[in-house]
Amino acid sequence: MLKIRNLKAKVEDKEILKGLSLEVKPGEVHAIMGPNGAGKSTLGYVLTGRDGYEVTDGDATLNGEDLLELEIEERARAGLFLAFQYPVEIPGVSNLEFMKAAVDAAREERGEDALSSADFLKAAKAACKQVNLPLDFLKRGVNEGFSGGEKKRNEIMQMLLLQPKLCILDESDSGLDIDALKVVAEGVNSQRDDQRSFIVVTHYQRLLDYIKPDFVHVLSDGKIVKSGDASLAHELEAEGYAWLETYDRQAEEETA
Amino acid sequence: MSAWLANAIEKSHSVNDWLTAKRQGALALLQEKNWPGRKTEDWKYTSVRALEKRAISSAANAGEVNVATIAGLEAIELHFIDGHFQGVKQSLPEGLSIVELSKADAEVQAWAVEAFSACKPKKHLFGLINDTLADNGLVIDVAEGADIKQPMRIVNEITQDIDVQHRVLVRLGEGAKATVIEQAGGTQESYFSGFAEYFLAEKAALEHYRFCLRTGKALSIGGSHFELKSNAQINSTLVGFGSELSRLDVDVMHRGEGAHAKINAVYLLDSGEIFDLHSCIEHEIGHCTTDETVRGIVGDKATATFNGRIHIHRDAQKTLAELSNKNLLLTDNAQINTKPELEIYADDVRCAHGATVAELDKSALYYLTSRGVSKSQALVMLNFGFINALVDEMPNSALAEWLRPQLQERFAKMNQEPAQA
């Protein structure tokens, strides 16, 4: 599904990703944890092609296709989806027309006919319901005046409609109360199957109680410094990221 | 002086009705005015040459035209065809009186003669001409405390090459609520002068719309003017398409503490169209608020002019006033002349203004394209969204649903050299 090899990227002249490698196979859920400033959000931005994030080395492929060569919209059509940590408010553009345009583009890419307005509305309403968003949110401007939790649920609503192949959830749990967290997690879990893959970026173990990861990686200073199974998240939660440094030192000492 | 103005003055001598005293006063002022040219500050960017060439004429009879109703809007329909009123077809709710300007009885005349030209500033040359010549229009009176749910929709359609001088007077009694829509459309070569004055007593609330949708050779110069007594409020939405000459003046007089004016204006101009919006908010008294947002998209070689003045008088302490004008230019030849003017003589006020040529929101573009929407389509959505945001704010959703597709269609036709990404 996704193969990232030795990815290095900078923002303005600051190197943020310093040789990140990661492979995600179909159906897998990978959690990426790490301290602030480690480059967790940068990874999502670089993979989706945000302006200002410059790749200086390495490569990334999605189902064999060189992601980094594609335009932003082509990456999305290839099946990449980023649930934003800070979804953008766009007054004047309704959620509904935005999603209709996005779904039309995805269907066209797959060689399918565009949905009729009625069929699309039906699908959109169902997606809204699934994440507990009132239906009038479809008519409102994209994220306009939504609360933090509503924005996060709106991201999941979009994911449900677009049916991407690889979803990156960038701190989709931040700022959510426990009920909203469950809604987000259930939305994600409903999409899990042996083909669709997820990268769940989070600070906290909490989300991983609801979205069970197959792998947990620790990102620190632009690199994955440790990988393990779900139990690694618990260790991190118990010990904090400082524990990693001690851990690393111990490891170094042991090898030395 | 232009031949057209001389003709107008000459014509005004023959008007003789209950407004004669007012008309004579306007005529005296008019005779001292100069015909606007390039050096006239108020007309610097908008030429009235198209008007100069016209001969003034009116229509003996109304032409044939159907005024389409608006789906979902249960309005009191008030139609003028070629300046001829088509009558009130609905029965009016209690507390509402609507009479034709020419048929005002003594009781109506008693207040209307005082109101006539009382909040329309004397500086408007074409308003003065309207004072002297207006021979059709309405006098609307909403009784104290009346809450008129049905919007009053005044539509002007012109089917012949004529001049129409149209006048509306609206009075809202204390605590009264009403909605008035002023709409003019069509492409027929003609001149439409539509001036309306609104008088809001204490705590009255007016929802107002003015749709200036005349295009092509349909020339328009008009104004909507409001006087607000204490705690009165207006929520006004102005929409302008351009034509060879389209000019709208909006004046708000805050004349009682606690008055509030919210004004949203949108213009969408194509080809060589001209639209000129002048607004002037007079904070004559303290503790009043103004919130004015003006947005326009200018395409091809069209020209938009916006002059927004906020005048805070010496005693108008605790005024809150905000004025913003943002513009999107779609081509190198599109032009916007924007000038916010703040004149502040009180020291304890909060006042903000800004005028910009809008830049594309890059994070919004990224967000839309990251969902697979093509860049070109995302640009169209964002550009249209820029004005649609104000359509979304219209309190009446039936009107918004009616207007939005018209704006969309117009926008789709516009020369879309997208603004730089």
Side-chain angles (χ1 to χ4, degrees):
Chain A
M1 174 72 65
L2 177 71
K3 279 185 190 161
I4 304 172
R5 203 177 49 86
N6 190 34
L7 190 63
K8 294 183 182 172
K10 61 181 188 181
V11 180
E12 285 164 359
D13 279 324
K14 191 164 188 264
E15 191 169 43
I16 309 279
L17 297 184
K18 300 177 179 174
L20 186 149
S21 299
L22 177 69
E23 180 168 0
V24 178
K25 297 203 171 72
E28 291 178 349
V29 175
H30 291 243
I32 294 184
M33 303 179 76
N36 288 327
K40 301 192 299 297
S41 290
T42 298
L43 177 62
Y45 293 149
V46 167
L47 292 179
T48 52
R50 184 169 198 158
D51 265 2
Y53 289 78
E54 192 192 334
V55 174
T56 53
D57 198 9
D59 49 58
T61 57
L62 183 66
N63 293 323
E65 203 169 357
D66 184 354
L67 263 186
L68 305 179
E69 284 302 307
L70 300 177
E71 295 292 334
I72 301 172
E73 62 268 32
E74 292 169 335
R75 299 180 196 203
R77 291 173 196 175
L80 181 63
F81 180 92
L82 172 65
F84 283 53
Q85 184 181 1
Y86 303 110
V88 183
E89 292 199 22
I90 313 177
V93 177
S94 78
N95 237 347
L96 195 68
E97 70 165 317
F98 169 36
M99 274 300 101
K100 178 82 166 77
V103 168
D104 282 353
R107 293 182 68 91
E108 192 183 336
E109 182 78 15
R110 295 195 293 260
E112 299 166 5
D113 288 337
L115 287 177
S116 71
S117 295
D119 286 346
F120 174 73
L121 189 61
K122 215 167 127 188
K125 282 180 174 174
C128 260
K129 258 188 196 150
Q130 199 178 332
V131 295
N132 265 340
L133 278 182
L135 295 183
D136 71 338
F137 275 54
L138 290 169
K139 278 195 157 184
R140 285 170 59 175
V142 175
N143 293 315
E144 186 188 2
F146 292 17
S147 72
E150 288 163 349
K151 284 179 183 167
K152 296 294 172 77
R153 282 183 277 151
N154 197 37
E155 295 291 289
I156 303 302
M157 190 277 283
Q158 295 176 24
M159 183 190 82
L160 296 174
L161 278 174
L162 288 168
Q163 301 277 306
K165 293 177 182 142
L166 176 75
C167 310
I168 304 170
L169 308 177
D170 188 4
E171 299 201 21
S172 292
D173 53 337
S174 66
L176 296 189
D177 62 29
I178 196 72
D179 292 330
L181 183 73
K182 281 184 189 166
V183 167
V184 165
E186 280 162 15
V188 171
N189 289 331
S190 74
Q191 297 302 296
R192 284 180 77 163
D193 62 26
D194 58 1
Q195 290 305 310
R196 188 169 290 128
S197 312
F198 293 85
I199 295 175
V200 181
V201 174
T202 180
H203 270 294
Y204 305 106
Q205 152 66 23
R206 193 176 68 153
L207 179 65
L208 305 180
D209 287 340
Y210 298 97
I211 304 173
K212 299 272 185 232
D214 300 303
F215 301 94
V216 174
H217 309 279
V218 179
L219 184 63
S220 178
D221 195 25
K223 280 186 206 172
I224 286 177
V225 294
K226 187 161 178 56
S227 299
D229 60 16
S231 64
L232 178 57
H234 288 281
E235 288 178 53
L236 281 170
E237 183 86 352
E239 308 285 342
Y241 292 110
W243 160 73
L244 270 180
E245 287 165 29
T246 349
Y247 184 95
D248 285 348
R249 265 200 301 279
Q250 277 171 356
E252 276 165 30
E253 281 160 17
E254 277 163 26
T255 32
Chain B
M1 183 177 297
S2 80
W4 184 86
L5 179 58
N7 192 198
I9 288 174
E10 188 194 317
K11 218 169 144 53
S12 68
H13 291 300
S14 62
V15 180
N16 186 12
D17 60 4
W18 59 281
L19 288 166
T20 295
K22 288 282 182 170
R23 296 188 195 278
Q24 291 303 323
L27 186 59
L29 290 170
L30 201 51
Q31 278 161 334
E32 290 165 15
K33 293 263 183 184
N34 292 319
W35 185 248
R38 285 233 168 262
K39 288 184 181 161
T40 314
E41 184 61 28
D42 258 6
W43 291 90
K44 199 167 168 184
Y45 303 104
T46 302
S47 164
V48 292
R49 222 172 306 151
L51 201 55
E52 279 170 42
K53 296 181 218 147
R54 292 185 59 78
I56 296 182
S57 66
S58 56
N61 297 300
E64 291 277 325
V65 66
N66 273 329
V67 177
T69 53
I70 294 173
L73 186 81
E74 300 211 348
I76 297 165
E77 298 284 342
L78 305 160
H79 300 167
F80 288 82
I81 312 293
D82 296 329
H84 292 270
F85 186 49
Q86 304 301 298
V88 183
K89 293 179 180 76
Q90 292 95 331
S91 60
L92 298 183
E94 202 172 318
L96 177 63
S97 141
I98 301 176
V99 297
E100 257 192 276
L101 192 72
S102 59
K103 293 183 180 153
D105 60 19
E107 199 185 332
V108 171
Q109 287 179 17
W111 71 266
V113 78
E114 290 304 315
F116 191 86
S117 214
C119 79
K120 176 177 65 59
K122 309 263 181 282
K123 65 186 176 192
H124 299 316
L125 172 75
F126 295 90
L128 290 172
I129 297 171
N130 186 283
D131 282 351
T132 66
L133 292 178
D135 56 358
N136 71 90
L138 295 170
V139 183
I140 297 173
D141 195 10
V142 185
E144 186 182 320
D147 181 1
I148 309 300
K149 304 279 187 206
Q150 282 174 283
M152 289 167 257
R153 178 172 175 242
I154 306 166
V155 182
N156 267 278
E157 285 285 346
I158 301 178
T159 69
Q160 311 170 47
D161 186 1
I162 53 169
D163 290 36
V164 172
Q165 301 276 349
H166 175 81
R167 188 61 167 259
V168 173
L169 294 174
V170 180
R171 181 171 78 162
L172 269 69
E174 189 177 334
K177 287 183 186 162
T179 299
V180 179
I181 302 156
E182 297 177 65
Q183 180 191 334
T187 55
Q188 165 66 44
E189 181 170 356
S190 56
Y191 171 62
F192 175 62
S193 157
F195 282 85
E197 293 180 89
Y198 296 85
F199 300 87
L200 279 72
E202 287 76 12
K203 298 194 192 88
L206 173 72
E207 191 179 311
H208 172 261
Y209 300 89
R210 182 150 185 164
F211 301 128
C212 307
L213 310 180
R214 286 161 54 79
T215 55
K217 286 183 180 299
L219 314 180
S220 309
I221 299 178
S224 293
H225 316 280
F226 307 88
E227 178 187 83
L228 277 62
K229 290 289 173 57
S230 64
N231 297 307
Q233 43 184 302
I234 57 163
N235 182 333
S236 174
T237 303
L238 314 167
V239 178
F241 292 172
S243 72
E244 275 191 22
L245 170 59
S246 183
R247 159 86 176 231
L248 179 67
D249 282 87
V250 173
D251 297 272
V252 176
M253 316 289 156
H254 285 295
R255 287 181 176 158
E257 287 190 356
H260 174 64
K262 177 177 168 67
I263 300 172
N264 279 349
V266 163
Y267 42 84
L268 185 52
L269 314 183
D270 193 15
S271 58
E273 291 174 350
I274 287 170
F275 182 70
D276 182 340
L277 175 63
H278 272 57
S279 76
C280 179
I281 317 293
E282 297 282 356
H283 281 268
E284 297 180 5
I285 201 156
H287 298 275
C288 295
T289 54
T290 296
D291 175 7
E292 184 177 359
T293 306
V294 180
R295 288 190 180 182
I297 299 181
V298 189
D300 203 355
K301 49 189 191 300
T303 303
T305 298
F306 173 67
N307 186 295
R309 181 166 181 256
I310 293 183
H311 180 189
I312 301 176
H313 294 232
R314 192 180 305 277
D315 297 325
Q317 302 296 359
K318 306 284 181 194
T319 292
L320 295 180
E322 279 187 39
L323 168 64
S324 135
N325 173 225
K326 289 185 184 169
N327 295 281
L328 204 56
L329 298 174
L330 296 184
T331 69
D332 290 342
N333 291 323
Q335 204 187 105
I336 165 73
N337 308 296
T338 175
K339 186 173 161 198
E341 287 181 56
L342 293 186
E343 240 178 279
I344 304 175
Y345 298 100
D347 53 11
D348 185 12
V349 303
R350 208 165 77 212
C351 210
H353 71 92
T356 59
V357 173
E359 279 180 37
L360 198 78
D361 180 346
K362 282 189 179 164
S363 61
L365 183 65
Y366 166 55
Y367 189 68
L368 294 183
T369 50
S370 82
R371 298 293 183 249
V373 179
S374 71
K375 193 174 168 189
S376 59
Q377 192 180 1
L379 282 169
V380 169
M381 287 167 78
L382 289 174
N383 286 349
F384 186 72
F386 171 70
I387 56 169
N388 189 45
L390 297 189
V391 176
D392 284 347
E393 285 187 17
M394 284 166 59
N396 188 306
S397 57
L399 280 177
E401 296 307 321
W402 168 79
L403 183 67
R404 187 177 293 111
Q406 295 185 65
L407 290 170
Q408 268 164 340
E409 188 189 350
R410 190 170 171 78
F411 184 65
K413 278 190 198 152
M414 283 169 66
N415 176 13
Q416 288 177 31
E417 286 287 309
Q420 70 290 348

